[in-house]
């Protein structure tokens, strides 16, 4: 584990995977995610080993070994964290974001100098009322639960009211090994909402708001993911000035890294492997 202290005094913990000379990519996890999440580790290893990338897999503030500012939930804080990481790795890096981390990657790309490329895996933009739309006052209740230290209720509330999961799913999760990790990261969901809340209102995205995201961007969605995620991915790709949307067969929001890593790795490095998990779908 390595750490840096940001200008704001936040200590960010990260693991660095040195793969070669193909550049650096910073991995940005989503809600309840942390750098030790097995699929983030597997993705980091594959991007380093196969695509010669140096991968920085970090804990967003309030997760894992990174510190936080309880009660201060502003997306600009997390953008500043990413800027500090980019500077720490030499002033130039690409970004890979998953779910709300993908939304954060796109927002950071508009403001942080030195962002070369962006891969956004299923950012949860809610752009119509065809599926689930979170309540307008969700933030108030979320902050109340976090301030009261009611972590189990925070997990259930965020999963059902912000992410649209059925209640029976959260009931089952209480009896799984992952429950303790969900409880540990529950307070950080306020940061996820600060990132995505303004873009989950069921309204169309405004291309003018995203016009400064000029870095080449690949938006990925999975064929097996919910329609809401596929619709949101297509919408943000259309709103960005320099983006492509790719639907990967057999992929879901809980991804098979063997399917996700080649798509991301090829885009980040501008290469093409002879063996590709969805090459047939490209023809």
């Amino acid at each position: 584990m390595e750490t840096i202290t940001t200008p704001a005094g936040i200590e960010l913990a990260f693991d660095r995977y040195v793969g070669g000379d193909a550049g650096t990519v910073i991995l940005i996890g989503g809600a309840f995610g942390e750098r030790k999440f097995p699929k983030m580790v597997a993705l980091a290893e594959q991007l380093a080993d196969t695509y010669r990338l140096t991968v920085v897999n970090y804990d967003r503030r309030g997760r894992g070994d990174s510190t936080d500012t309880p009660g201060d939930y502003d997306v600009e804080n997390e953008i500043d964290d990413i800027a500090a990481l980019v500077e720490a790795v030499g002033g130039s890096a690409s970004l890979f974001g998953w779910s709300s981390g993908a939304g954060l990657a796109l927002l950071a790309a508009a403001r942080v100098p030195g962002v070369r490329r962006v891969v956004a895996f299923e950012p949860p933009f809610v752009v119509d009322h065809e599926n689930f739309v979170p309540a307008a006052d969700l933030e108030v209740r979320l902050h109340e639960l976090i301030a009261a230290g009611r972590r189990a209720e925070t997990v259930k509330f965020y999963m059902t009211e912000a992410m649209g999961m059925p209640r029976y799913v959260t009931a089952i999760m209480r009896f799984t090994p992952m429950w303790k990790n969900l409880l540990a990261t529950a307070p950080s969901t306020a940061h996820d909402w600060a990132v995505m809340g303004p873009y989950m209102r069921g309204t169309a995205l405004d291309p003018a708001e995203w016009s400064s995201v000029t870095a080449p961007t690949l938006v990925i969605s999975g064929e097996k993911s919910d329609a809401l995620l596929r619709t949101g991915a297509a919408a943000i790709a259309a709103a960005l000035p320099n983006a492509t949307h790719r639907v990967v067969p057999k992929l879901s929001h809980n991804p098979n890294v063997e399917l996700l890593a080649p798509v991301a790795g090829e885009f980040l490095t501008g290469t093409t492997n002879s063996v590709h998990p969805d090459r047939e779908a490209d023809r």
Side-chain angles (χ1 to χ4, degrees):
M1 184 183 79
E2 300 179 58
T3 62
I4 62 166
T5 301
T6 72
I10 293 294
E11 187 171 279
L12 297 176
F14 62 94
D15 297 322
R16 192 190 312 243
Y17 300 75
V18 180
D21 58 358
T24 298
V25 59
I26 298 171
L27 304 188
I28 309 172
F32 302 105
E34 54 183 319
R35 80 182 197 283
K36 293 182 180 179
F37 183 57
K39 294 201 174 184
M40 292 294 279
V41 173
L43 178 61
E45 290 175 342
Q46 288 206 31
L47 292 177
D49 294 345
T50 304
Y51 294 94
R52 299 180 297 104
L53 287 159
T54 293
V55 184
V56 174
N57 183 19
Y58 83 108
D59 283 326
R60 288 170 59 185
R61 58 170 58 200
R63 307 161 197 242
D65 295 302
S66 292
T67 60
D68 200 4
T69 50
D72 182 9
Y73 309 116
D74 187 329
V75 66
E76 296 297 333
N77 294 335
E78 287 212 275
I79 292 173
D80 289 345
D81 293 345
I82 292 172
L85 283 169
V86 171
E87 183 177 353
V89 300
S92 175
S94 295
L95 306 177
F96 173 100
W98 179 353
S99 196
S100 65
L104 177 56
L106 293 170
L107 291 168
R111 298 166 171 79
V112 177
V115 173
R116 295 180 61 251
R117 290 180 175 238
V118 180
V119 175
F121 173 50
E122 296 196 332
F125 291 97
V126 179
V127 297
D128 57 36
H129 288 262
E130 296 299 318
N131 296 286
F132 169 77
V133 180
D137 62 350
L138 182 147
E139 179 180 291
V140 174
R141 181 59 177 156
L142 177 64
H143 288 188
E144 289 175 348
L145 290 172
I146 292 171
R150 295 158 66 177
R151 295 195 176 209
E153 289 184 57
T154 300
V155 173
K156 291 186 289 184
F157 178 79
Y158 198 83
M159 285 188 166
T160 56
E161 303 302 321
M163 300 171 68
M165 286 189 181
R167 295 186 183 278
Y168 76 85
V169 174
T170 62
I172 293 171
M173 284 184 173
R174 293 180 64 94
F175 303 99
T176 66
M178 73 172 61
W179 184 248
K180 64 178 182 180
N181 295 327
L182 295 174
L183 293 178
T185 56
S188 69
T189 54
H191 295 300
D192 296 290
W193 188 250
V195 172
M196 293 306 308
Y199 309 105
M200 300 180 75
R201 304 302 192 195
T203 56
L205 299 173
D206 180 3
E209 187 173 356
W210 300 95
S211 61
S212 55
V213 185
T214 55
T217 300
L218 175 64
V219 183
I220 301 173
S221 58
E223 181 185 53
K224 295 176 65 176
S225 295
D226 290 343
L228 182 148
L229 292 169
R230 296 196 305 273
T231 299
I236 187 60
L240 293 168
N242 191 15
T244 301
H245 176 213
R246 184 165 179 179
V247 180
V248 180
K250 302 180 182 179
L251 192 69
S252 72
H253 197 63
N254 181 22
N256 179 340
V257 174
E258 297 292 333
L259 299 176
L260 178 60
V263 180
E266 290 181 11
F267 176 77
L268 291 168
T269 59
T271 60
T272 302
N273 281 356
S274 58
V275 178
H276 195 291
D278 67 332
R279 182 64 62 214
E280 193 66 31
D282 292 339
R283 294 175 181 160

